[in-house]
């Protein structure tokens, strides 16, 4: 996400809100290299897409394929469509408006026996309803102390603050 237009809007998502000007795009692709898909995803995210993912599907005649789904703000729709048409083999794009309810977010630090881990908390109506340890922090601790990554996640989740008011 570094250097992407997503970082410019990061702090817009700190408070709980609904994004009403969002567009979801879908494309079925059956004749494309997986390397091209990765490259296209990187370009879409750099352009400011909020989310890009692929779902394996079967098309007519049982041809294996991928459905690409992209979520973006309506303001960048034309740029997103241009990238998809230029970088993939699709001949058409389905898109429609969607509303996205985003939780408020805050970051806290949690001490573990091996070091400090940053935690992203999701806040709904003033209550913490989600917590997610930052992967890079957990990975670095696991590598440094030669312990399983899941042990760090387990410890952090057991010491969590779920359900408490902010």
């Amino acid at each position: 996400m570094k250097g992407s237009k997503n970082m410019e809007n990061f702090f817009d998502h700190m408070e709980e809100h609904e994004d009403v000007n969002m567009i979801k795009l879908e494309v079925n692709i059956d004749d494309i290299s997986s390397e091209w898909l990765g490259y296209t995803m990187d370009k879409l995210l750099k352009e400011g897409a909020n989310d890009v993912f692929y779902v394996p599907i079967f098309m007519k005649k049982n041809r294996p394929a991928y459905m690409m789904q992209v979520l973006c703000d309506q303001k960048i729709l034309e740029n997103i469509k241009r990238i998809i048409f230029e970088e993939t083999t699709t001949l058409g794009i389905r898109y429609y408006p969607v509303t996205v309810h985003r939780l408020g977010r805050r970051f806290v630090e949690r001490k573990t026996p091996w070091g400090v881990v940053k935690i992203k908390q999701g806040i709904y109506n003033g209550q913490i309803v989600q917590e997610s340890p930052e992967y890079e922090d957990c990975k670095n601790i696991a590598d440094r102390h030669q312990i399983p990554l899941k042990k760090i996640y387990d410890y952090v989740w057991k010491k969590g603050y779920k359900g408490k008011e902010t």
Side-chain angles (χ1 to χ4, degrees), residues 37 70 87:
L37 293 175
V70 180
E87 299 294 347

Short mmCIF file of all heavy atoms in Angstrom, two decimals, residues 37 70 87:
data_model
loop_
_atom_site.label_atom_id
_atom_site.label_comp_id
_atom_site.label_asym_id
_atom_site.label_seq_id
_atom_site.Cartn_x
_atom_site.Cartn_y
_atom_site.Cartn_z
N LEU A 37 -2.38 -11.31 -14.05
CA LEU A 37 -3.37 -10.99 -13.02
C LEU A 37 -2.72 -10.28 -11.84
O LEU A 37 -3.25 -9.30 -11.32
CB LEU A 37 -4.08 -12.27 -12.55
CG LEU A 37 -4.97 -12.96 -13.57
CD1 LEU A 37 -5.50 -14.27 -13.01
CD2 LEU A 37 -6.12 -12.05 -14.01
N VAL A 70 -13.35 -5.84 -8.19
CA VAL A 70 -12.64 -4.63 -7.81
C VAL A 70 -13.63 -3.70 -7.11
O VAL A 70 -14.75 -3.53 -7.60
CB VAL A 70 -12.04 -3.91 -9.03
CG1 VAL A 70 -11.30 -2.64 -8.63
CG2 VAL A 70 -11.13 -4.84 -9.82
N GLU A 87 -4.97 -4.07 -19.51
CA GLU A 87 -4.07 -5.07 -18.94
C GLU A 87 -4.63 -6.49 -18.92
O GLU A 87 -3.91 -7.42 -18.57
CB GLU A 87 -3.68 -4.67 -17.51
CG GLU A 87 -2.93 -3.36 -17.42
CD GLU A 87 -1.55 -3.41 -18.08
OE1 GLU A 87 -1.04 -4.51 -18.40
OE2 GLU A 87 -0.97 -2.33 -18.28
#
